[in-house]
Amino acid sequence: MLDRTGNVHIPLQYIKGVGPKRAAALGEIEIHEVTDLFHYYPRGYLDRSQIVRISDLRAHLAKREPVTIIAEVIRQEARRVRKSNRLLFLLNVKDESGFLTCVWFEGYQWYKDAFEIGELLALSAVPTLDKTGRPQFVHPQFDRLKSVEEDEPDWGKLFNTGGIIPKYRSGADLEKAGLDSRGFRRIIRNALKSYINSITETLPEGILKKYSLIPLKDAVRAVHFPESFQELEQARARLKFEELFFLQLILAIRKNISKLEVRGFHYAAAGKLSNQLIESLPFKLTDAQKRVWKEIENDFHSAYPMNRLLQGDVGSGKTIIALLAALRAMENGLQAAFMAPTEILAGQHYQTITQFLQEMPVNVRLLIGGQRKKLREDIMEDIRAGNAQLVVGTHALVEGKVEFARLGLVIVDEQHRFGVLQRAELREKGINPDVLVMTATPIPRTLAMTLYGDLDVSVIDQLPSSRIPIRTGLRTEKEKPKIFDFIRQEIRKGRQAYIVFPLIEESEKIDLKAAIQEYEYLQKEVFQEFRLGLLHGRMKTEEKDAVMQKFTKNEYQILVTTTVIEVGIDIPNATIMLVENAERFGLSQLHQLRGRVGRGAEQSYCILIANYGWYEKPQRGRTGEDVVEQKALAARRLETMASTTDGFKIAEVDLQLRGPGEFFGTRQSGIPELKIADLAADTEIVVAARKEAFAMIHDDPQLRHPDHACVRNQFEIKFKSVLELGKIG
Ligand code: ADP
Ligand code: MG
């Protein structure tokens, strides 16, 4: 139970009520020991003061706010809606004051097995009236309290003492193991009873005092079983601070380490080639581009290697900035590497770049996975000898074999596809190269400060003025003939179109088949007069290239594709983006897709076809509540797309809908998932935690001071792997 560093690890099976089966189910959600369970925070709380009697619901109608009742299940019923032939699910419940019917329009398949007669539920919804004028709950949220014959202390407590009951997130597999919300309550209560004293403090006294934070032990107890809402707030504040503090500590350490590196080479002041490029451009750089270029130039003359994030919405013109930086490196006798997330994109960048650099005495090479062996070897040799001055590629560039003679600059396009790992790997290939990371995911500055806390941030916050805003429409399947007519018209005017199909991992095969079938149908039945290309991830590199070439040359008027075109592709003549099953795409994905059009001088259109029926197909691990929630989320995403083209606004909604963890792709970024803090909402705590963490690392980089022992200890338990990932041991 003790590890190398003397920390206690208590196996889950020591807890009363947890056997091998439950331990395994918990393991699936990364709960491996008692500490993990302690930090499995409730997703919400039930509060007696919010509970109303069924007979009082009428009085709450006008307020249009959710209320909670506690009631017993007495009957369930299926009803078929004649018009749509759909099944409704009805649940009749009662409390001591009366009866109520709950209705679900969706998810019948799931709900029909979800409840037991006699089961006691807490149900929350905004009460409405049914056709006969009686109050009803539509799609209530529910929490299981206990079965009637079971005696759970929570239940008595709720009514007798006005307690607050925690609600836990569960799932189909957990429920099967008896770990619904109620099951979690029971085992967490047991765990706290036996092992609360194993919780040791993780923050120094000074910080606790300064921010009036309660001890960790009290916070953990209170976040699960608070005596009052005030106590709950204190507990949450403490746990949020803790979480953000350790996050910032990682960033502080990373930044500290990068400042230990010394710049390996010095740039001459003049920039002949880069200036020549600026002059030869068919357009003028925007003010934002000029400003960012200046910031990068300054980095080249600083004492430390560049570590910069370049943020700029789709189409803001990041590529040209990267190219300027690459030229500057080349004219100083260094090599530059330009990495794109996909081979298609690398190919595109290569073409754009060679075009821009036509007149310049520089040697640019493309290195991607699918190339023939002979060619590959030739290119690798060119890189090793230093003849290749700019190398464009995918992450194949960072994989083992490639050796650079004098790598001075690494450019990473579309950072959210790249992990910390690759960045670190690549860095090791040169002598502390400058690193420029580009992303089209607009992130509010305070958040960027957290996520990329170890990078300097530049923002291109302006689009070239020549752009015409894209028009976006939400449509349904039924309107397709009209949409196809419209596409036909546009193509006759000389334009081109993308038609995009979703492809998700779980149902990849089926999705791919559907896309291919649809492509054949479109070519044969709908757009006979045009030529259609098909592009998907399963094709070989050469095939993909050939298709892209033809589309670029307008030999294909329509490109039918799965999401491989998502990032970065630049074909100004393509003005229509039709997205099928748009409800299945994420918001930033849609934004990226839409960014493929609106790049030329013509009016562009983005047409999103929604088909919510998709959500009702039964899927493993999906509950009825999920179905309702996912549909609502999908609708929000599409409405957002229709209402704005502003990448920052879209990113904010995306952040709200998905939560920071998924939004940032934390797994890829090497930053631990946040469980309780909210990067968007808890800005004040972020700022405070950041200040303390950076100050601590500044004063005591190794955390050797006795006051910091608790921090060091906690850090080693939690984040060892993160540090190793970032190559900072
Ligand atoms: P992104 O930031 O999405 O990577 P790109 O770098 O691909 O955007 O630029 C999009 C298009 O805009 C390209 O065709 C590029 O040549 C063009 N472009 C870049 N800067 C400007 C500018 N200042 N004025 C007009 N067009 C520009
Ligand atoms: Mg780009």
Side-chain angles (χ1 to χ4, degrees), residues 27 89 216 233 299 411 413 418 490 554 616 637 642 659 717:
F89 181 75
L216 182 59
E233 265 328 295
D299 285 351
I411 297 158
D413 195 15
F418 270 101
E490 289 295 303
N554 200 359
E616 281 150 47
R637 289 197 292 269
I717 303 174

Side-chain angles (χ1 to χ4, degrees), residues 277-296:
L277 175 64
I278 294 177
E279 269 151 40
S280 72
L281 288 175
F283 47 77
K284 274 212 179 98
L285 293 183
T286 61
D287 289 345
Q289 282 171 315
K290 283 185 203 154
R291 190 188 64 233
V292 168
W293 173 227
K294 190 100 215 125
E295 288 166 355
I296 293 172

